[in-house]
Amino acid sequence: MKKHQEEQAKVKLPLSQDIYHRILWDRRLNKKAFFVGFTDRMSRAGVSEKPVIEWNTGEIEIPWHRIQYIRCGDTKVWDRQQRIDLFASDRLPAEAWTKDLDNDKKDQDSLFLPQPVYAFNANAWKSFGHQVGNSVPESLHIVTYNVLSDEHEKELIKTHLRIPSIITQLKQAEADIIVLQEATIPLLHALMQEHWVQQMYLSEGREGKNLEPQGIIILARYPFTVSEYAYSPQKKFLVGHWTFHHQSFHVAALHLTSNRADNAIATREKQLQAVLEYLQNLPGDAVVAGDFNSREEDVFLSAARHGFEDIWPGLHPNDPGYTFDPINNYIAQKMTLAGHPGRLDRILLKSASNMWKAEKAELFAREPVPGTEGKLYLSDHFALLSVLKCQQQIVAPSRISEALFDKIQTVHPTYHSAIVIIPDENVWPTIQQLRKRYDRNYLRWMPHITLIYGFVPEELLEAAAHLILDAVQGLEAFTLTLTTPGTFAQRASTTGWIEPVAYPEGALHILQATLQQLFPTCHEQSSRAGGFHPHLTIGQFASEEEARKHLADWKPVVFHVSSVALISREGKQPFEVRYTVYLKTGAVEKAGASPAPGISSELKQLLDELHPALSASEKKARELLIGCVTEACSEVLGQNVTLDLFGSSRLDIATPQSDIDLICPILPGVPKRQFLEEVKRRLATTYDQARLVTDAQIPALKLTINSRAVDLLAANHLFFPAPLGAIKEEDQMHYDKGSWQALAGCMEADYIMRVAGDILPAATFRAYLRAVRAWANARKITGNGFGYVSRFSWTILATWACRSYQPVSGSVSVDDLLVHFFQQVSKHSWPEPIGLNAEEESFRAREKRDWMPVLTSIKPRSNSVRNLTRSTFHVIREELSRAAEVGQRCLKNQASFRSLYTPYQARNEAEICLCLTLEAQNEPDLEVCAGFLEGSLLSLLLNLEQKAELLIRPSSEFDRKGASATLYIELKGNLTQKREEEIGKVLLEFKRRFYEWSEKPEKSNLFLNLNKE
């Protein structure tokens, strides 16, 4: 038994993520049959499970290293501790396999598996097991070459004479990436002896297990990973993966089936389609290179549909570029079946990011082997070289002077400044409640993860920020999970900290290494034993045991990293953020300065009028008000709790008129209504007005305090009193519907900001979002209750649209973004759904219900535009089309943005207008009655639309005057006598329902008038 365990320990266990990806990509496997077991301290058993198909759906929530096993039925098919891997031998249980496979050919379809890469080290070729980092080449020289194996016509082609010349030609090409087809073990061994090859990385080990009798090799100057696709036991393709300029780059190496095979054309199409579909699901840019064995252009139509362009014809439109030429190549003449020349070898490029542009394409290795009298060519194919030029600016001191750059490179670091990652404020309560108790530096430092410390002095911070700007431009944002506690032992105490784990894996270390290169003297974090060790400090403890005891209840929290902060302090003052530098966009914000998100003065003035941002004094007043409500909630619950913002406040786009929307966590089982009533009682001496709404799906306490409106919701929280930020999507089963609906609103807002943070600086996104919502408000097309699109749904649409935005001049403009939004949404093909993740593919729109599906991102995913009618859908489409046309004229200075935001006023514009006037004895009664009217309005709109057969356009707000409010509804169509009668019947029934509800007609009156011009 012991011997068996020792043998098992010697076997390298595949990574959990490799097994996960195999389950997803192997069509032979029944994905629904597999379950992941992962470490979970909130579970009594210490381990929880979830289906594989629900794991890692777009953003990692639980780090890979916490996967302990993968189960299929009652069988553990992969186990970290027991070192079980049943995938290696396909010894999986019966339920692991799909039921619809009828032959072995189907089994092979679309299976891409990771393979080792080899590097020359210590005088031997060994498996390269290190992490592949970022490289920054200014150009890429890529070669594809079918070197011709001696599987056929061995005596004719004299491979032993050709190999030295092939190697010479490849060396002279000075390529960065080389793709070889029909490579053999003798060629591989000869290459491995070359000094220039020993400086590269290889996809094949010395054994050449994939080269019997011949196969594909990738050689590259830059380290890479590789995946293999086995179309059949003899036909295998490779895909190499690199990171260039912080973006993914892939090269698919192909050798498609030749015409010697039966049904060759269909087979080639199937082979190419499998590779293209695989590349389609990978981030970044891609190249397909190799021997396509096809003269027909049909096989390349699918490549074009996937966004690939054939490099050769773009650079040589009048040159056929034959790589297989029986006329000018004696071996090709002897090997050909039909005798026709053809451009069989090609390099295709897809660069959606526009980072790479084809600059050169040429054929080489076209001469015969010296001394063979023109009878022996290097191969029956010529080699093809393409050069791709990087369009992205390489990191350089382009924004600061050479003198400043030299000063930064040689500066003596100070411990009054640093570069840090600051977690999102919504996870601060979880961190700060521990730091306040245990960290003696609680007041000096904000919660942070240190990247560089010590750092440059205060006078160099601005120059450093602009240097960083160039370095991180294009670097993708990522997710951090604060996972498990750890300790550092010092001489007099022990530091307790939480480990951050990044997704994608390695993103945090890449960011730190990128910054470290810029500031070579500020190397304290990376020069320690073991290198950079990221952590978030919680406090200081007497011993390791005490630290672990006090941190034992830590629950992981997740946040998005889209920027780094440059912080500093004066004397003994606390650290403060001086500059924020955003990843990907490379924008810089100076603390205390008004963000400059690239907006015209005209649009900025309009937003200041229609959707003004909160002033510092207004923010302070809101903080005090929130503190007052928090104190009342804590008193009712008997312990301190943290309230979470939702709505516009959580997105940080609230106006002075916006409600303050709050959620309070309460114990499971505590009635929400009872809790809110008690909070209302505690605040009796504080509020101006208070109303408890209990007839809605989610009970709410509506307060007015110091003329500011507050909406307080309660959510029964499984992990009370832990902050709500620790909740994950999979926790939904533990919450009642109302509580989960309230919590999902917070999670939705956070998800939107994470998605937007990958695209735009936060200040730019918020200005753009304010512009969209201000337009919808001005045109009176906001609000589910009025049959329109809610503010939240407009936010989803705005986020969706900005993902396809490409800056016109290289700099982001809110004006351009806004017009781009109108163009994208107005031309969308409804009812095809829109959402921010892949779930919209499975959504099925209901006829005459889901006119305009805008899907939520948090489970249960649903259409957030649920009250649209045929008429209001028509109104929105008209408004979007109008805005797209006017917006284009605004960008050309042919129209004013003010014309885009002209307020819609039904009472002035409508030929036929229905006026609903509500009068009450006082304003509080008016609010109650208006609430009922808004809640019942949809039925009125549908009845008018269906029974009177009219198109309608309701305004989306009441015109208020004291204790009176009027809602205007425009009616479009020919108002015949029959239609007027139907309108009268509908209004009479609606009025009857209102008085039936109010029960006190003397306190309020509803007047319904039909005005015709």
Side-chain angles (χ1 to χ4, degrees):
M1 182 68 178
K2 183 177 180 182
K3 182 178 179 181
H4 174 74
Q5 290 175 341
E6 290 175 351
E7 290 175 351
Q8 284 289 95
K10 293 178 182 178
V11 177
K12 185 175 181 181
L13 191 72
L15 298 175
S16 58
Q17 53 262 53
D18 293 340
I19 298 297
Y20 163 79
H21 286 112
R22 172 165 180 174
I23 293 170
L24 289 193
W25 283 103
D26 191 342
R27 293 187 182 179
R28 300 174 298 169
L29 298 176
N30 178 13
K31 300 165 184 57
K32 296 180 180 179
F34 292 90
F35 294 83
V36 172
F38 58 94
T39 304
D40 184 0
R41 285 194 300 277
M42 290 188 291
S43 167
R44 291 184 177 179
V47 175
S48 293
E49 287 191 351
K50 69 186 301 184
V52 163
I53 57 175
E54 294 183 11
W55 184 272
N56 187 27
T57 56
E59 57 177 66
I60 193 94
E61 294 175 348
I62 303 170
W64 295 108
H65 70 266
R66 283 177 55 193
I67 297 180
Q68 297 303 312
Y69 63 82
I70 296 177
R71 172 179 65 80
C72 180
D74 296 328
T75 304
K76 287 186 178 179
V77 293
W78 182 92
D79 190 292
R80 185 185 300 277
Q81 300 301 323
Q82 300 180 40
R83 302 190 66 76
I84 294 173
D85 175 25
L86 301 188
F87 290 86
S89 56
D90 279 350
R91 292 185 293 113
L92 300 173
E95 56 263 45
W97 306 98
T98 55
K99 308 298 183 186
D100 61 345
L101 295 178
D102 53 6
N103 55 58
D104 292 339
K105 192 71 173 176
K106 199 168 184 180
D107 288 356
Q108 298 294 337
D109 194 25
S110 292
L111 175 59
F112 288 81
L113 298 177
Q115 301 294 320
V117 172
Y118 300 86
F120 191 75
N121 185 21
N123 297 318
W125 285 93
K126 300 177 182 178
S127 177
F128 178 74
H130 303 291
Q131 181 176 310
V132 175
N134 179 59
S135 303
V136 288
E138 295 186 21
S139 62
L140 287 174
H141 291 59
I142 301 177
V143 163
T144 180
Y145 192 15
N146 184 327
V147 294
L148 183 60
S149 74
D150 51 11
E151 188 176 0
H152 306 287
E153 305 290 348
K154 193 170 185 177
E155 295 300 321
L156 170 69
I157 63 177
K158 298 180 176 59
T159 298
H160 67 286
L161 296 178
R162 295 187 299 112
I163 284 178
S165 294
I166 289 172
I167 291 176
T168 298
Q169 289 289 322
L170 291 175
K171 179 181 179 180
Q172 291 175 354
E174 297 184 340
D176 300 298
I177 300 172
I178 299 174
V179 172
L180 302 179
Q181 303 88 40
E182 295 198 26
T184 60
I185 292 177
L187 175 63
L188 172 69
H189 289 170
L191 283 167
M192 285 180 160
Q193 298 300 316
E194 294 288 317
H195 177 72
W196 66 275
V197 176
Q198 291 172 1
Q199 312 303 310
M200 304 180 80
Y201 300 85
L202 276 171
S203 63
E204 193 68 41
R206 186 166 185 81
E207 297 78 11
K209 62 183 178 67
N210 293 310
L211 304 183
E212 287 285 0
Q214 47 88 6
I216 294 175
I217 297 177
I218 298 178
L219 303 84
R221 295 183 186 276
Y222 305 99
F224 65 101
T225 58
V226 69
S227 302
E228 179 188 82
Y229 166 49
Y231 179 76
S232 71
Q234 290 75 38
K235 183 65 69 175
K236 298 179 180 180
F237 308 140
L238 300 179
V239 181
H241 313 281
W242 290 260
T243 300
F244 293 139
H245 302 281
H246 308 292
Q247 292 193 21
S248 298
F249 187 87
H250 316 279
V251 174
L254 305 183
H255 187 191
L256 302 183
T257 293
S258 74
N259 287 333
R260 296 176 185 271
D262 295 334
N263 201 20
I265 293 177
T267 301
R268 284 194 292 266
E269 288 179 350
K270 186 175 181 181
Q271 291 168 347
L272 181 59
Q273 188 65 27
V275 174
L276 293 174
E277 287 179 358
Y278 173 64
L279 294 173
Q280 187 76 20
N281 290 290
L282 298 178
D285 300 329
V287 161
V288 179
D291 180 0
F292 287 76
N293 258 321
S294 177
R295 298 173 181 83
E296 299 85 8
E297 294 299 321
D298 292 353
V299 75
F300 302 103
L301 291 179
S302 58
R305 284 194 294 268
H306 283 79
F308 285 89
E309 293 185 8
D310 192 343
I311 289 176
W312 183 273
L315 296 173
H316 305 284
N318 300 316
D319 184 346
Y322 296 140
T323 61
F324 184 84
D325 189 352
I327 298 173
N328 296 302
N329 184 325
Y330 180 75
I331 292 185
Q333 185 182 113
K334 294 298 181 181
M335 303 293 284
T336 183
L337 294 176
H340 302 309
R343 191 161 57 87
L344 306 187
D345 306 84
R346 308 197 184 201
I347 297 178
L348 314 179
L349 170 65
K350 176 185 178 181
S351 183
S353 67
N354 293 318
M355 176 179 285
W356 301 100
K357 182 180 180 181
E359 189 178 62
K360 179 180 180 183
E362 66 179 20
L363 301 179
F364 69 99
R366 302 170 71 180
E367 302 299 323
V369 175
T372 61
E373 300 178 356
K375 297 291 185 180
L376 183 65
Y377 279 71
L378 278 67
S379 170
D380 58 342
H381 289 243
F382 298 144
L384 173 62
L385 165 70
S386 288
V387 179
L388 308 182
K389 185 72 174 177
C390 179
Q391 304 300 297
Q392 178 169 305
Q393 186 178 11
I394 308 300
V395 174
S398 59
R399 300 176 189 271
I400 62 175
S401 68
E402 288 290 342
L404 271 176
F405 179 69
D406 291 341
K407 195 171 183 179
I408 286 175
Q409 294 282 291
T410 57
V411 70
H412 184 73
T414 173
Y415 291 94
H416 282 229
S417 67
I419 307 177
V420 299
I421 291 171
I422 300 176
D424 293 342
E425 288 192 9
N426 64 300
V427 304
W428 275 38
T430 307
I431 301 167
Q432 293 295 71
Q433 66 181 353
L434 288 171
R435 289 190 66 231
K436 188 173 183 179
R437 294 174 61 186
Y438 302 120
D439 191 359
R440 59 174 174 263
N441 294 317
Y442 172 76
L443 295 177
R444 176 172 293 182
W445 292 86
M446 67 288 286
H448 69 283
I449 297 165
T450 302
L451 299 172
I452 303 286
Y453 178 68
F455 190 44
V456 300
E458 184 84 28
E459 64 269 17
L460 291 178
L461 281 180
E462 183 175 1
H466 286 93
L467 184 60
I468 294 170
L469 183 157
D470 279 332
V472 303
Q473 198 166 35
L475 192 64
E476 296 288 343
F478 55 92
T479 300
L480 276 186
T481 304
L482 297 176
T483 56
T484 53
T487 58
F488 294 136
Q490 277 94 27
R491 185 175 302 173
S493 66
T494 295
T495 297
W497 47 268
I498 307 298
E499 179 184 9
V501 175
Y503 180 80
E505 185 178 355
L508 180 56
H509 284 74
I510 289 172
L511 173 59
Q512 198 277 337
T514 301
L515 298 172
Q516 185 64 80
Q517 291 177 352
L518 303 176
F519 309 100
T521 62
C522 306
H523 52 66
E524 181 175 307
Q525 300 302 307
S526 55
S527 60
R528 293 171 176 170
F532 174 57
H533 193 303
H535 61 280
L536 188 144
T537 297
I538 293 296
Q540 298 75 40
F541 303 88
S543 64
E544 181 178 339
E545 291 74 19
E546 184 183 344
R548 295 194 179 278
K549 172 186 173 183
H550 290 295
L551 299 181
D553 294 331
W554 173 266
K555 295 178 178 64
V557 296
V558 183
F559 62 93
H560 204 56
V561 179
S562 59
S563 64
V564 296
L566 279 63
I567 63 173
S568 68
R569 65 187 177 98
E570 298 179 3
K572 295 184 178 182
Q573 295 298 311
F575 277 97
E576 294 184 9
V577 176
R578 307 301 184 192
Y579 295 91
T580 301
V581 185
Y582 289 90
L583 308 185
K584 193 166 185 175
T585 60
V588 173
E589 281 184 12
K590 184 177 181 181
S594 299
I599 185 170
S600 65
S601 58
E602 182 191 13
L603 185 55
K604 184 178 183 303
Q605 182 179 348
L606 271 168
L607 294 188
D608 289 343
E609 294 174 14
L610 302 175
H611 199 294
L614 296 175
S615 64
S617 60
E618 181 64 32
K619 286 182 178 180
K620 187 65 176 177
R622 285 176 165 242
E623 288 174 12
L624 293 173
L625 193 153
I626 293 170
C628 178
V629 178
T630 302
E631 185 178 347
C633 293
S634 299
E635 289 175 358
V636 172
L637 295 167
Q639 57 185 301
N640 291 333
V641 291
T642 301
L643 305 191
D644 270 62
L645 289 164
F646 66 99
S648 59
S649 296
R650 196 173 187 91
L651 294 167
D652 198 14
I653 56 168
T655 71
Q657 289 73 41
S658 298
D659 293 354
I660 302 173
D661 300 313
L662 298 168
I663 299 179
C664 179
I666 61 176
L667 282 163
V670 173
K672 301 184 189 71
R673 176 172 179 172
Q674 180 181 327
F675 165 75
L676 294 173
E677 285 177 340
E678 186 60 25
V679 173
K680 178 183 174 185
R681 190 183 67 80
R682 298 257 177 172
L683 291 170
T685 60
T686 304
Y687 60 72
D688 306 321
Q689 296 176 18
R691 180 165 58 95
L692 187 59
V693 179
T694 57
D695 54 355
Q697 189 172 13
I698 307 174
L701 177 59
K702 292 183 171 292
L703 304 163
T704 304
I705 304 176
N706 296 335
S707 300
R708 293 177 178 87
V710 179
D711 281 0
L712 176 66
L713 308 182
N716 296 113
H717 181 28
L718 178 65
F719 308 119
F720 180 88
L724 300 176
I727 298 170
K728 308 290 181 242
E729 266 194 271
E730 61 264 28
D731 297 328
Q732 180 190 350
M733 66 184 73
H734 303 298
Y735 290 87
D736 64 85
K737 186 176 180 180
S739 294
W740 184 255
Q741 188 173 339
L743 297 172
C746 297
M747 298 166 74
E748 289 276 1
D750 294 343
Y751 185 83
I752 284 169
M753 292 309 297
R754 287 197 296 271
V755 172
D758 288 340
I759 308 164
L760 301 169
T764 302
F765 176 71
R766 289 185 175 111
Y768 158 60
L769 192 52
R770 287 168 58 213
V772 170
R773 288 170 61 147
W775 167 80
N777 288 340
R779 299 304 298 167
K780 304 291 192 300
I781 51 173
T782 293
N784 276 325
F786 299 94
Y788 289 120
V789 177
S790 70
R791 292 182 178 87
F792 175 69
S793 301
W794 284 120
T795 300
I796 296 176
L797 286 168
T799 309
W800 170 81
C802 76
R803 294 196 304 186
S804 59
Y805 172 70
Q806 295 291 333
V808 177
S809 60
S811 59
V812 179
S813 160
V814 176
D815 302 49
D816 289 340
L817 268 168
L818 180 62
V819 177
H820 175 78
F821 163 79
F822 293 131
Q823 291 173 333
Q824 292 298 109
V825 182
S826 64
K827 70 182 182 183
H828 184 71
S829 179
W830 303 105
E832 183 180 327
I834 279 178
L836 301 182
N837 52 35
E839 296 294 327
E840 61 264 23
E841 295 176 3
S842 60
F843 181 83
R844 295 292 177 266
R846 298 165 298 176
E847 188 177 359
K848 297 183 179 179
R849 287 287 303 277
D850 295 312
W851 297 93
M852 187 176 170
V854 179
L855 304 188
T856 58
S857 302
I858 306 299
K859 294 179 180 178
R861 296 178 176 92
S862 60
N863 180 13
S864 64
V865 184
R866 57 187 180 273
N867 288 351
L868 217 61
T869 73
R870 178 173 61 92
S871 293
T872 52
F873 175 56
H874 181 75
V875 170
I876 288 175
R877 285 199 303 179
E878 282 188 334
E879 285 294 339
L880 286 167
S881 296
R882 169 189 174 274
E885 188 272 327
V886 175
Q888 279 286 8
R889 290 166 50 210
C890 291
L891 293 182
K892 297 175 182 178
N893 294 321
Q894 296 172 354
S896 162
F897 271 106
R898 194 166 290 277
S899 63
L900 185 66
Y901 285 85
T902 302
Y904 169 76
Q905 295 178 322
R907 64 181 183 272
N908 296 333
E909 299 181 30
E911 293 183 6
I912 310 170
C913 187
L914 179 62
C915 308
L916 281 69
T917 301
L918 187 62
E919 293 182 353
Q921 288 191 345
N922 52 53
E923 291 187 26
D925 284 350
L926 179 68
E927 289 301 314
V928 175
C929 294
F932 170 80
L933 206 62
E934 185 175 341
S936 308
L937 188 62
L938 189 62
S939 64
L940 173 65
L941 300 179
L942 288 171
N943 281 329
L944 287 171
E945 191 178 88
Q946 294 166 7
K947 295 181 179 180
E949 298 179 348
L950 290 167
L951 284 176
I952 57 175
R953 176 171 181 161
S955 177
S956 64
E957 66 179 25
F958 289 92
D959 284 3
R960 282 176 166 80
K961 188 175 182 180
S964 174
T966 301
L967 182 72
Y968 298 95
I969 303 175
E970 180 180 357
L971 305 181
K972 299 182 178 183
N974 182 21
L975 198 60
T976 63
Q977 181 179 350
K978 182 179 178 182
R979 282 177 173 164
E980 282 200 56
E981 291 173 356
E982 289 296 332
I983 292 171
K985 293 176 184 178
V986 169
L987 296 181
L988 188 63
E989 173 61 20
F990 185 73
K991 193 169 184 177
R992 184 193 65 77
R993 287 178 56 203
F994 172 76
Y995 284 122
E996 186 178 89
W997 165 81
S998 69
E999 296 181 351
K1000 296 178 180 178
E1002 71 279 1
K1003 281 198 170 184
S1004 57
N1005 285 299
L1006 179 63
F1007 302 97
L1008 305 173
N1009 299 314
L1010 189 62
N1011 295 334
K1012 297 178 288 183
E1013 288 190 359

